[in-house]
Amino acid sequence: MGAKLFLAVLALAAFAYVVARARASRAAGGAGAARFHSRPGQHGLYAALLVLISGWGLLFAAGLSSDILIEHLLESEILRLAPGLGAIERALVISDAEALATGAVSSSDDALRQQIAASFARWRFWQVWGLSALVLGAASFALLLALARIRPDFRARNRAERILRRGLGVMALIAVLTTIGIVLSLVFETFSFFANIGWRIDKFLFGTNWTPLSGVMEGRLDPDRVGALPLFAGTFLITLIAMLVAVPVGLFAAIYLSDFASPRTRAIVKPMLEILAGIPTVVYGFFAALTVAPLLREWGAALGLSVASESALAAGVVMGIMIIPFISSLSDDVINAVPQALRDGSYGLGATRAETVRFVVLPAALPGIVSAMLLGMSRAIGETMIVVMAAGQGANFTFNPLEAVTTVTVQIVMLITGDTEASTAAGPAFALGFTLFCITLLMNFAAQRIVSRFREAYD
Amino acid sequence: MAAKAQAEQAEKADQGDQAQAGEGVKITARGVNVWYGENHAIRDVNVDIDDKTVTAFIGPSGCGKSTFLRCLNRMNDTIEICRVEGRIEMDGQDIYAPEVDPVLLRARVGMVFQKPNPFPKSIYENVAYGPRIHGLAKNRAELDGIVEKSLRRAALWDEVKDRLSAPGTGLSGGQQQRLCIARAIATSPEVLLMDEPASALDPIATAQIEELIDELRAKFAVVIVTHSMQQAARVSQKTAFFHLGELVEYGETGQIFTNPRDPRTESYITGRIG
Ligand SMILES: Nc1ncnc2c1ncn2[C@@H]1O[C@H](COP(=O)(O)OP(=O)(O)O)[C@@H](O)[C@H]1O
Ligand SMILES: [Mg+2]
């Protein structure tokens, strides 16, 4: 019913647009007519917007409140008929009754449910008609109001623009509020986790024993078992390996593409790099686990080194490959943003291409390159699939790249997908997530600051 | 046919100039053609550019002045689709010969661009850039000397001597352009090419640049592209008029402006071709 009314209002708005425009253009075109402030289309737009706001707004408000009202009425009826029922059972009765009334399958159909279903159907009937009348009535009224307002001095354009501007503002607000909501819940849950371990934040940050779920007593966590240092170390180690792979390759690829490659080569290679960015990380993950890790193990064996079957090296190398296009594409952008005039100036002084790149282009692009690296690094820190498959699960405090390590993201996955009760497992997961969020936020912030300063220098 | 006649004219004009100024020919261009892909931008140009002389290239925009200028230091090599034919000699040596390294050539033929393009480095580093690349200074003191001499020659020393470590991009437009001239002078070139060096500057900065160009003539062969005929008349001794990729007329600046031989030159100078 809601959807039909929604569409009806939309249709009415379209109608309002056509009618108001026609009327305005007739009024403006008449002999001796005063000069109109707004064009006919703007009167049409204003009428349509007015219809949409009043129709949809009322549909949303009245629909929601009548739903709540019906629920309330049904509950009080159940209380009257069967005073002994608890809140959960009452909710069950109501949902069964709704199912019975709409012909869907219900868990049982005793007399109480039948009766409630009958009242539900009655209320629903009134709701449908009442709502339809209210919404369509308001929309039609809005249409008439808008038509009545079509006068030469009516500022339909300004009004319509104001409405649109507010509508856009609301959309932006939704995005902002969602973000704030997520961050707040992260902060809140993290706080309750810290409260749970008796505010021993030091143990969380610097402890080396990570077995958070094995010491749980009546929902309380053992501060000695939530030491996340091995996770941070593992994340750091894998990120470091990834950057060691990605930065040289990505940066030199970008330099080659922007200053050495012919346009033909560039046209072929650049899209290829971008394809690399389009490979889902889960594919990289099993590539790391099934191809790279065994390969490293074999090579290690040939050299007399023992490489674990899940190693920081395998995960780091593959993660590095994953970030290459990210770094090369961003660096390529900033290198290309260095004005051609600077290169010409350098060539004109008898510098070679290599000298020009080294002494003019790279210094000028450096801030942008650094920020590309920071962004790539925050990608690496937050990356999950590759490490879940290739890095290992045991919280092993080591900096040896040939051993298995675990990361913050892997442990979050383990906590949430494990079979421990969600309310217990969520605490450490939220704390880890919050830490991760803070780190990547800081890095993105730094990167943005650097880039904006760079922009200022060249505009 | 016409081109040949002009070449002869040009030679005659040259001989007159040589006899008068006593300076040799620095650059000789014969039968130069330039294409950008299919676009024939320069058509069979012959010209002799004198040493210790300011030569102005004038003509409506798009006629190939910059293109021809860039042939003289092989900057066109950096443009993928550009093809140059013909013979250009500097001091009798073909600069397009296979054994000539364009990179070294550009140290001998300095270039100043239309828009000032100092590097985002300090004033000192801007000027020291060329000498450093070409290893012209054995030590810091020598480099300091080159920097100071170049800045003095570019008439910028007094304005910047107290802030050599300040960024070159922080100077005013006119100062930036003089910094670019100093930067070009620092590699001790023999020829200075300037592509509309004052077109992005205000009248006062323009006057300073023009005065500077006149002084530079004592040491270098200067070739300046300009769209301003007054500027050409003020600073140059010889003028070449380009039109649609052809060198229409070349001669003494005074003669070109007062008594042009070609009707196209006359139309341009009197404002009928724009
Ligand atoms: N980099 C380039 N690529 C392609 N065509 C060019 C390029 N530079 C100049 N041209 C073309 O060559 C012709 C001459 O241009 P240019 O030498 O810049 O003229 P001017 O400096 O006299 O205004 C024009 O038709 C222009 O479109
Ligand atoms: Mg030009």
Side-chain angles (χ1 to χ4, degrees):
Chain A
M1 182 222 25
K4 277 185 202 153
L5 271 179
F6 184 87
L7 291 179
V9 171
L10 195 63
L12 199 63
F15 176 70
Y17 176 79
V18 173
V19 172
R21 195 181 64 172
R23 190 178 165 125
S25 76
R26 208 161 347 99
R35 217 185 124 64
F36 265 59
H37 168 270
S38 302
R39 281 185 283 114
Q42 289 158 350
H43 282 282
L45 182 64
Y46 174 71
L49 285 174
L50 214 58
V51 169
L52 280 186
I53 300 178
S54 50
W56 282 352
L58 210 61
L59 177 60
F60 181 73
L64 209 65
S65 52
S66 61
D67 275 350
I68 294 171
L69 182 68
I70 289 177
E71 185 108 2
H72 191 74
L73 288 170
L74 291 178
E75 279 224 17
S76 54
E77 189 172 353
I78 296 173
L79 269 181
R80 202 155 29 80
L81 293 170
L85 284 187
I88 295 177
E89 281 156 22
R90 284 204 302 272
L92 216 63
V93 170
I94 290 178
S95 80
D96 276 343
E98 286 182 14
L100 281 174
T102 53
V105 182
S106 64
S107 62
S108 82
D109 54 350
D110 50 21
L112 174 65
R113 283 175 167 76
Q114 293 286 1
Q115 178 155 2
I116 300 298
S119 342
F120 175 75
R122 196 172 62 244
W123 290 125
R124 181 40 79 81
F125 174 81
W126 285 114
Q127 185 194 23
V128 168
W129 285 108
L131 212 56
S132 303
L134 204 62
V135 168
L136 293 180
S140 310
F141 178 73
L143 168 59
L144 293 179
L145 186 72
L147 287 182
R149 279 184 170 169
I150 296 178
R151 267 179 277 106
D153 60 343
F154 182 65
R155 302 181 165 238
R157 173 168 55 78
N158 311 36
R159 298 279 192 114
E161 269 168 7
R162 197 163 63 213
I163 295 173
L164 284 178
R165 203 164 52 231
R166 293 210 177 130
L168 295 179
V170 168
M171 295 301 160
L173 197 66
I174 289 174
V176 171
L177 287 182
T178 314
T179 312
I180 292 179
I182 291 175
V183 172
L184 278 184
S185 95
L186 210 52
V187 170
F188 180 77
E189 297 283 349
T190 305
F191 269 43
S192 70
F193 164 75
F194 284 143
N196 193 335
I197 58 168
W199 292 103
R200 297 302 303 269
I201 300 179
D202 56 316
K203 297 233 168 180
F204 171 71
L205 289 178
F206 304 112
T208 56
N209 180 2
W210 176 260
T211 46
L213 298 183
S214 55
V216 182
M217 300 263 281
E218 290 158 1
R220 291 201 74 77
L221 296 161
D222 179 356
D224 283 322
R225 295 181 195 248
V226 294
L229 194 57
L231 281 52
F232 298 142
T235 303
F236 174 77
L237 183 61
I238 289 181
T239 305
L240 185 71
I241 296 171
M243 295 311 282
L244 285 179
V245 172
V247 168
V249 179
L251 185 56
F252 288 129
I255 292 173
Y256 172 73
L257 282 182
S258 61
D259 278 78
F260 291 91
S262 69
R264 281 252 310 278
T265 320
R266 190 181 154 84
I268 297 170
V269 175
K270 202 159 173 178
M272 300 273 269
L273 270 175
E274 247 112 75
I275 288 176
L276 208 57
I279 297 176
T281 58
V282 67
V283 175
Y284 281 110
F286 62 73
F287 174 65
L290 303 180
T291 311
V292 177
L295 203 66
L296 287 178
R297 224 167 123 75
E298 253 171 57
W299 289 352
L303 293 172
L305 293 169
S306 86
V307 182
S309 59
E310 293 180 318
S311 65
L313 190 59
V317 167
V318 174
M319 196 189 277
I321 295 173
M322 182 200 84
I323 312 173
I324 287 173
F326 203 67
I327 292 193
S328 71
S329 163
L330 281 174
S331 307
D332 185 52
D333 287 349
V334 291
I335 289 176
N336 269 323
V338 174
Q340 181 64 31
L342 288 185
R343 293 186 173 87
D344 285 344
S346 175
Y347 294 143
L349 289 167
T352 61
R353 270 176 197 243
E355 284 163 343
T356 302
V357 166
R358 210 180 122 206
F359 297 121
V360 174
V361 177
L362 282 187
L366 192 65
I369 291 171
V370 169
S371 85
M373 285 175 191
L374 285 179
L375 289 178
M377 207 155 135
S378 73
R379 276 289 287 271
I381 291 175
E383 168 50 35
T384 309
M385 264 352 273
I386 296 175
V387 280
V388 164
M389 292 190 217
Q393 276 98 48
N396 185 7
F397 186 39
T398 177
F399 285 102
N400 180 352
L402 304 181
E403 281 181 42
V405 298
T406 194
T407 69
V408 174
T409 51
V410 170
Q411 290 309 311
I412 293 177
V413 171
M414 307 263 302
L415 284 166
I416 301 297
T417 58
D419 45 17
T420 311
E421 209 180 305
S423 56
T424 318
F430 270 111
L432 289 180
F434 183 65
T435 317
L436 211 54
F437 167 74
C438 289
I439 294 173
T440 45
L441 183 74
L442 271 181
M443 291 182 38
N444 286 358
F445 187 66
Q448 255 174 27
R449 281 293 298 270
I450 295 174
V451 167
S452 66
R453 197 161 330 143
F454 175 66
R455 292 260 154 75
E456 278 165 26
Y458 279 107
D459 288 344
Chain B
M1 260 323 273
K4 203 172 162 202
Q6 280 150 29
E8 278 163 11
Q9 262 176 23
E11 264 161 36
K12 256 183 260 151
D14 267 2
Q15 281 153 10
D17 193 54
Q18 268 169 24
Q20 169 198 27
E23 300 292 354
V25 172
K26 186 70 186 173
I27 296 176
T28 327
R30 288 292 174 269
V32 176
N33 282 282
V34 182
W35 287 265
Y36 291 108
E38 292 298 299
N39 178 8
H40 197 172
I42 290 290
R43 296 162 187 268
D44 200 24
V45 167
N46 300 291
V47 72
D48 290 315
I49 290 166
D50 292 343
D51 205 3
K52 312 276 190 288
T53 302
V54 178
T55 306
F57 290 175
I58 61 170
S61 81
C63 66
K65 307 179 295 288
S66 303
T67 300
F68 185 71
L69 192 74
R70 285 199 306 266
C71 290
L72 304 181
N73 67 344
R74 292 186 61 177
M75 275 298 272
N76 283 330
D77 291 21
T78 63
I79 299 172
E80 203 82 27
I81 55 168
C82 186
R83 192 156 54 85
V84 179
E85 269 180 16
R87 194 175 171 84
I88 301 179
E89 288 177 1
M90 186 165 134
D91 293 336
Q93 204 215 351
D94 181 3
I95 63 170
Y96 280 84
E99 68 271 15
V100 171
D101 184 349
V103 162
L104 295 181
L105 174 72
R106 288 181 206 136
R108 293 172 60 201
V109 184
M111 183 152 199
V112 176
F113 298 83
Q114 180 167 1
K115 216 177 135 222
N117 58 350
F119 302 131
K121 301 171 183 289
S122 70
I123 293 171
Y124 184 94
E125 287 301 323
N126 262 284
V127 182
Y129 185 83
R132 269 198 219 280
I133 291 182
H134 299 292
L136 298 185
K138 283 194 238 22
N139 51 42
R140 179 75 189 203
E142 252 184 67
L143 192 59
D144 288 350
I146 293 178
V147 169
E148 178 175 346
K149 202 174 81 193
S150 309
L151 283 170
R152 277 189 196 284
R153 250 202 216 129
L156 189 61
W157 175 253
D158 291 331
E159 286 160 67
V160 301
K161 62 172 185 274
D162 301 322
R163 46 171 173 154
L164 289 177
S165 56
T169 44
L171 298 173
S172 75
Q175 289 174 324
Q176 286 190 13
Q177 194 61 300
R178 276 179 282 149
L179 178 62
C180 292
I181 292 173
R183 188 175 71 178
I185 294 173
T187 57
S188 323
E190 298 151 40
V191 180
L192 263 184
L193 309 178
M194 302 190 176
D195 193 347
E196 306 197 17
S199 68
L201 305 180
D202 61 76
I204 292 175
T206 301
Q208 283 172 326
I209 297 279
E210 285 177 3
E211 196 178 322
L212 174 59
I213 290 171
D214 198 48
E215 287 164 15
L216 291 173
R217 176 161 68 99
K219 292 276 294 181
F220 312 98
V222 180
V223 185
I224 174 173
V225 170
T226 175
H227 62 254
S228 149
M229 283 174 285
Q230 291 85 340
Q231 185 168 68
R234 282 193 299 264
V235 300
S236 72
Q237 288 76 52
K238 303 202 78 173
T239 296
F241 171 61
F242 286 80
H243 185 55
L244 300 176
E246 284 178 33
L247 177 61
V248 173
E249 187 163 353
Y250 178 52
E252 297 284 333
T253 299
Q255 173 255 309
I256 293 273
F257 280 95
T258 53
N259 185 20
R261 297 198 182 104
D262 194 288
R264 286 171 290 177
T265 316
E266 191 181 353
S267 322
Y268 181 68
I269 286 167
T270 53
R272 268 175 284 152
I273 306 182

